[in-house]
Amino acid sequence: MYDARQVANYLLDCAEDRGVVLTNMGILKHIYFAHGWHLASFDTPLISNRIEAWEYGPVIKAVYDSFKVYGAGPITSRATMMDLDTGEVTEARADFSAETEKLLRSILRYYSGFGAFELSDLTHVPGGPWDRVWNAGDGKVRLNMEISNESIRRHFIEQGKTATVQ
């Protein structure tokens, strides 16, 4: 598993190479879709971070916090992480396997054709993982409304029966 900030930086690098602009909302949705398809394809999580249900869909707080300075504008920097042993802050980077790189590039190629709010709509499908947490029985919004990996995995397996990201 990777830290979501490492995935964010990889996607941002690929997006820049392709001339694609990503916002905070856009990068969050791309990571969510990559995580979901990774769970469905390999039965293992892509990221170690919690995914929470927020108003505009699934959010990984560490990624959101890294890029919130951009508001709804394009992200022009990369996320950083602190080495807990040395206290040094560096760009969040990882050596991804070839299959993970292929998946991430496929996710970017497919989902970059959607605007941030269209991506948000895709995460709001009735009965989907976000919907089941956000619209839970009592209708009250609570802090830290976590979306489980199992719920995401099941959803993307279902999605995979009718669509593919190639």
Side-chain angles (χ1 to χ4, degrees):
M1 286 189 289
Y2 302 97
D3 187 286
R5 291 167 292 187
Q6 295 169 316
V7 175
N9 286 348
Y10 184 85
L11 288 169
L12 287 164
D13 290 345
C14 291
E16 187 175 284
D17 291 345
R18 294 176 49 92
V20 172
V21 173
L22 291 173
T23 63
N24 200 354
M25 185 185 293
I27 194 68
L28 287 164
K29 302 315 173 235
H30 278 77
I31 296 168
Y32 171 75
F33 291 123
H35 181 64
W37 286 116
H38 195 277
L39 281 164
S41 301
F42 307 115
D43 203 30
T44 60
L46 173 64
I47 62 170
S48 57
N49 310 68
R50 290 170 42 101
I51 299 179
E52 298 175 7
W54 288 19
E55 182 178 3
Y56 293 107
V59 171
I60 302 115
K61 189 168 178 350
V63 174
Y64 173 82
D65 288 345
S66 293
F67 302 120
K68 67 184 174 185
V69 297
Y70 295 104
I75 296 171
T76 58
S77 68
R78 299 299 180 261
T80 58
M81 295 173 61
M82 181 188 301
D83 182 314
L84 297 178
D85 294 327
T86 66
E88 182 182 7
V89 176
T90 59
E91 268 191 16
R93 296 290 173 185
D95 290 322
F96 296 104
S97 68
E99 67 187 6
T100 299
E101 285 186 354
K102 181 180 178 186
L103 174 75
L104 293 174
R105 286 191 307 272
S106 294
I107 293 298
L108 182 67
R109 188 171 46 253
Y110 180 77
Y111 289 104
S112 65
F114 297 90
F117 283 97
E118 291 173 303
L119 292 173
S120 183
D121 288 345
L122 291 174
T123 66
H124 284 65
V125 296
W130 175 88
D131 181 62
R132 285 194 303 274
V133 172
W134 186 258
N135 295 310
D138 61 7
K140 295 179 183 174
V141 176
R142 294 169 302 282
L143 294 175
N144 301 316
M145 296 170 54
E146 185 172 3
I147 303 171
S148 74
N149 281 338
E150 182 55 25
S151 174
I152 296 168
R153 186 185 73 78
R154 284 192 317 265
H155 175 74
F156 279 86
I157 287 172
E158 271 308 303
Q159 294 297 306
K161 292 177 181 175
T162 58
T164 59
V165 177
Q166 297 287 330

